[in-house]
């Protein structure tokens, strides 16, 4: 996979919740879960199933940092 995004987090699909048009795809990355909302068509084209290896690709113009007081 060659992409310009710098935040690529590899993991495993643990759940796919299909809606009328979009699906919520949950990917386990270490001890955390990242949820992506993508089209049902994209789920099919990517061949995503529970247990599939997949990467969460995060592309943002800004990243903020917060700390507890």
């Amino acid at each position: 996979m060659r992409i310009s995004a710098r935040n690529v987090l590899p993991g495993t699909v643990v759940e796919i919740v299909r809606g009328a048009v979009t699906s919520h795809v949950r990917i386990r990355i270490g001890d955390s879960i990242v949820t992506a909302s993508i089209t049902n068509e994209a789920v099919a084209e990517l061949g995503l199933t529970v247990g599939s290896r997949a990467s969460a690709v995060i592309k943002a113009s800004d990243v903020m940092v917060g700390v507890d007081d």
Side-chain angles (χ1 to χ4, degrees):
M1 173 173 41
R2 292 175 49 122
I3 56 175
S4 63
R6 296 182 185 267
N7 300 306
V8 179
L9 308 172
T12 303
V13 176
V14 294
E15 184 178 29
I16 300 171
V17 179
R18 291 184 184 268
V21 177
T22 60
S23 293
H24 289 133
V25 179
R26 290 176 175 55
I27 302 173
R28 177 173 300 284
I29 300 165
D31 293 333
S32 299
I33 300 285
V34 172
T35 302
S37 179
I38 64 174
T39 65
N40 293 335
E41 183 178 347
V43 171
E45 287 177 2
L46 294 170
L48 295 177
T49 60
V50 172
S52 296
R53 297 288 298 161
S55 294
V57 180
I58 301 167
K59 179 82 174 175
S61 58
D62 296 306
V63 176
M64 296 180 189
V65 175
V67 297
D68 292 331
D69 289 336

